[in-house]
């Protein structure tokens, strides 16, 4: 791409995706996942306690849901995108290389959470309605991890909100292009807006139990 085709304004990408905290090296992709999980638990807890539920159940559901969600997300990615898995014995476990399939995570995490809730005698469909907005918000926060990794971007563009991508992270066919559609940002905005709508529906309780979660899946 020549300088004449570069946008006057663009979104810069970070120079690295990790930082040092004493002896620890923290990856920003993983940090965004943790923040997303925290936000999901907070939203779910607020909604669930408004309908008479307890924070204790939310924490238990979150613990098992997150654990099995990560397993399910990785299994889904390995099965559907096996060509992106590092060709080493540890490749299937290398979540730090990226590769978590959201629908595998949702399926396994929700199943685990539903089992915990059912054993506790809770209204599972109603709890699912309280959990759904937080999951969608967490997906949006997770997209920031893609930003730090310089991934999940679209075709080249010169729009004012174009995303700068380092040459090492560009597809071979677009190696001469410098700015791309910020797909991660589009999904973040969509997820945040969707989460707001789901929170409103959950608070208004105009749908039958399970309806909000059903809308989320749609």
């Amino acid at each position: 791409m020549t300088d004449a085709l570069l946008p006057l304004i663009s979104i810069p990408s970070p120079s690295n995706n990790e930082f040092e905290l004493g002896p620890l090296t923290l990856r920003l992709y993983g940090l965004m996942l943790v923040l997303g999980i925290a936000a999901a638990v907070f939203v779910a807890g607020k909604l669930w306690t408004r309908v008479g539920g307890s924070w204790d159940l939310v924490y238990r559901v979150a613990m098992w849901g997150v654990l099995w969600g990560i397993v399910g997300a990785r299994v889904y990615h390995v099965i559907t995108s096996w060509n992106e898995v590092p060709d080493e014995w540890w490749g299937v476990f290398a979540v730090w290389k990226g590769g978590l399939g959201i629908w595998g995570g949702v399926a396994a995490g929700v199943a685990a959470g539903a089992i915990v809730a059912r054993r506790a005698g809770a209204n599972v469909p109603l709890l699912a309605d309280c959990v759904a907005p937080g999951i969608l918000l967490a997906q949006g926060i997770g997209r920031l991890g893609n930003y730090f990794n310089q991934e999940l971007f679209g075709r080249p563009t010169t729009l004012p909100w174009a995303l700068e991508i380092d040459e090492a992270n560009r597809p071979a066919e677009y190696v001469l292009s410098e700015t791309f559609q910020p797909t991660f940002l589009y999904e973040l905005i969509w997820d945040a807006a969707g989460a707001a709508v789901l929170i409103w529906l959950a608070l208004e309780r105009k749908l039958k139990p399970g309806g909000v979660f059903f809308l989320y899946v749609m």
Side-chain angles (χ1 to χ4, degrees), residues 159-214:
L159 291 169
W161 54 86
L163 176 67
E164 299 173 15
I165 296 295
D166 294 340
E167 183 175 345
N169 296 313
R170 301 172 196 163
E173 63 269 32
Y174 297 126
V175 69
L176 298 180
S177 300
E178 296 183 22
T179 55
F180 298 78
Q181 292 276 3
T183 314
F184 85 93
L185 180 60
Y186 299 152
E187 184 173 345
L188 187 159
I189 294 172
W190 173 258
D191 288 346
V197 172
L198 293 181
I199 289 173
W200 177 77
L201 289 172
L203 290 173
E204 292 295 318
R205 300 182 66 183
K206 293 182 179 295
L207 302 175
K208 293 181 179 180
V212 174
F213 185 81
F214 178 74

Side-chain angles (χ1 to χ4, degrees), residues 3-4 36 43 62 71 81-82 103 105 117 132 135 137 140 142 155 204:
D3 291 340
V43 172
V71 173
S81 304
W82 57 269
W103 290 116
I135 296 177
L137 179 60
R155 292 178 179 274
E204 292 295 318

Side-chain angles (χ1 to χ4, degrees), residues 1-72:
M1 179 179 289
T2 65
D3 291 340
L5 294 178
L6 290 175
L8 296 177
I9 303 174
S10 59
I11 303 173
S13 282
S15 57
N16 60 69
N17 62 356
E18 60 186 30
F19 66 94
E20 304 292 333
L21 185 62
L24 302 176
T25 298
L26 300 181
R27 296 181 182 273
L28 291 170
Y29 181 88
L31 180 60
M32 293 304 104
L33 293 181
V34 171
L35 290 178
I37 291 170
V41 172
F42 176 79
V43 172
K46 285 293 186 179
L47 294 175
W48 181 237
T49 54
R50 282 181 67 95
V51 296
S54 68
W55 273 101
D56 178 67
L57 179 59
V58 171
Y59 290 139
R60 283 189 286 142
V61 166
M63 180 180 68
W64 289 104
V66 169
L67 175 63
W68 283 102
I70 293 174
V71 173

Side-chain angles (χ1 to χ4, degrees), residues 30-156:
L31 180 60
M32 293 304 104
L33 293 181
V34 171
L35 290 178
I37 291 170
V41 172
F42 176 79
V43 172
K46 285 293 186 179
L47 294 175
W48 181 237
T49 54
R50 282 181 67 95
V51 296
S54 68
W55 273 101
D56 178 67
L57 179 59
V58 171
Y59 290 139
R60 283 189 286 142
V61 166
M63 180 180 68
W64 289 104
V66 169
L67 175 63
W68 283 102
I70 293 174
V71 173
R74 185 58 182 176
V75 170
Y76 184 91
H77 176 78
V78 170
I79 292 175
T80 60
S81 304
W82 57 269
N83 57 312
E84 298 178 11
V85 177
D87 189 20
E88 302 287 348
W89 68 266
W90 44 261
V92 295
F93 306 105
V95 294
W96 59 89
K97 293 289 185 179
L100 294 174
I102 182 61
W103 290 116
V106 169
V110 168
I115 292 172
V116 173
R118 187 177 181 83
R119 288 181 175 177
N123 185 327
V124 176
L126 184 58
L127 178 58
D129 285 347
C130 296
V131 170
I135 296 177
L136 190 54
L137 179 60
Q139 288 178 226
I141 296 173
R143 295 290 71 80
L144 291 172
N146 299 126
Y147 166 68
F148 288 114
N149 278 358
Q150 292 197 36
E151 59 189 7
L152 195 59
F153 53 87
R155 292 178 179 274

